[in-house]
Amino acid sequence: MSGLPLYPTIITDMVGSALTIVLACLSLGYAYLLNRRHPENFVWGFLFYFCIALVAFSISRGAGHLVKQFLLMSSNQAMWKIIDPYSGGLNTLLLISASAVTIYYRKGVQAYRAVENEAEKLKRANSKLEEMNLHLEEMVTERTKELSKSEKKFRHLFSNSKDMVFFCDTDQSVMDINASGVEMLGYNTENAPPLNLSTIFNDEDALSTCMDGLHIQGFVRDFEVEFKKADGSIIYVLLSAAAIKDEKGRMIGCEGIAKDLTRVRTMMQQLVNSEKMASIGQMAAGVAHEINTPLGIILGYAQLMQDDFPDDGEVRQNLEVIERQTKACRKIVSDLLKFSRQSESAKEEIDVNELLAEVLTVTEHNLNIDLIQVERNMAKALPTITGDPGKLRQVFVNLINNAHHAMEKKGGTLFVATEYNNTAGQLEITLRDTGTGIRKEIMNRIFDPFFTTKEVGKGTGLGLSVSYGIIQEHGGSITVESPVPNSTTGGYAEGTAIRVFLPVARESAVVGRRTGGAAVPDPGKTPEKED
């Protein structure tokens, strides 16, 4: 055995060591290329670091073997004995490093899989985001259309509502109000001034009550209040409002809806007046019958006694005074009977234009004396009505006398017009004067029996009451406007307009549908005179 040569072993050891270094370096180079091409791949990254440890171990071990062989061949065994422990220790450390990398491979794989799962989730989320981004424009467009449609509905409701709709800020300034609200307040919709609730509310206490309700409860409901119009007149409205609050619950404004109740309130007052006059009429009928008999006896005896005294005697004059005053009392009793509708009515076909012409023939002379002109605007071929011409004549005489009294001090114009309302099937007779008008505080009392603004001795206060009863007896109605709305300026004209509505006769209603009617006299227009 000692005689065998060692050169093949030495050569094999040196070649193997060199080849180990070369192959390890090639593995490292290949792992580097793989890791560079797929840097996100955990396996290639692990293989790259493992190859680094393997190359270090291969170089340490291969270099140690080569140095050993060179030293032994050069008879430097002593030098090798010094180097040998260090070479073996270094090889051991590098081998431990390679082993450690291998041991932690499993933990690395688990971590890699966890990261990969998270990456997959993130990828799916990104995919969803990309899909959402692709459809985001479509979604925005669709939502924009929905918002536009909703805004159009709101704007349509806001603009076309016949009630007032408004929005206010914390200073009670009206930020936005619809056209109906502006018209309700009597302003021009095109150039309405800035509005504030303090100027709209007629009563400051009512405004304070409304604002307290908004602050405390957050709303007010069915609150009856008076609003002041542009011309200073008052309208009655039913107000409902709600507070507008921010995200912290602080009130930053309010929104409200107000419904005009002026006409309803007027109709209710007229209904009350109607019931009042009905009860008074029943009482008046009984009183009139009781008084009429003694008055007739007094009048008869006074007329008989006049024949017993000379015409120029004092007693004769006193008897004439008694006669006149007794006749005045009988006239009042007669009006009471007419007011209570106890007298019989003669029903016949009546041409309203002819009836008004007869009344104006009798009254126009006295009107002209006081510088009052009469303007006629009669509709042609009006349908007839059924009623008592005497009573209706009395109604129009009373109304013309009232207009005369309102203009007698300064003159003016009396507009008389007739019109047929095809939809309602009734005639509308309008008498409008340019006189002093009717004060607001007495408007609701003008049809009350015995109520008059005339001086003592100039009226009994039964004219309008009797007229009201007669028109009701004929199935009609009376309305009064003072001051009179002016459609041209949008304001009001001085004076009073009384409109009488009477149903047409059934037989003439068909004819009336073909005839049409004249326009109601408007303060902004000048009616044409009828020949």
Side-chain angles (χ1 to χ4, degrees), residues 67 87 122 161 197 230 420:
V67 170
S87 175
L122 184 61
S161 174
L197 292 183
Y420 174 56

Side-chain angles (χ1 to χ4, degrees), residues 191-251:
N191 54 1
L195 300 175
N196 192 285
L197 292 183
S198 60
T199 59
I200 295 176
F201 276 71
N202 186 49
D203 188 358
E204 294 182 0
D205 293 337
L207 176 57
S208 299
T209 302
C210 178
M211 298 308 297
D212 290 343
L214 291 175
H215 281 286
I216 297 173
Q217 301 181 7
F219 66 92
V220 291
R221 181 181 299 161
D222 297 339
F223 183 46
E224 292 189 22
V225 66
E226 295 180 354
F227 277 5
K228 187 186 301 181
K229 298 183 66 174
D231 58 0
S233 59
I234 303 300
I235 58 174
Y236 301 92
V237 302
L238 188 66
L239 176 65
S240 294
I244 301 175
K245 299 182 179 181
D246 59 12
E247 61 277 2
K248 295 182 179 180
R250 294 176 299 187
M251 180 175 168

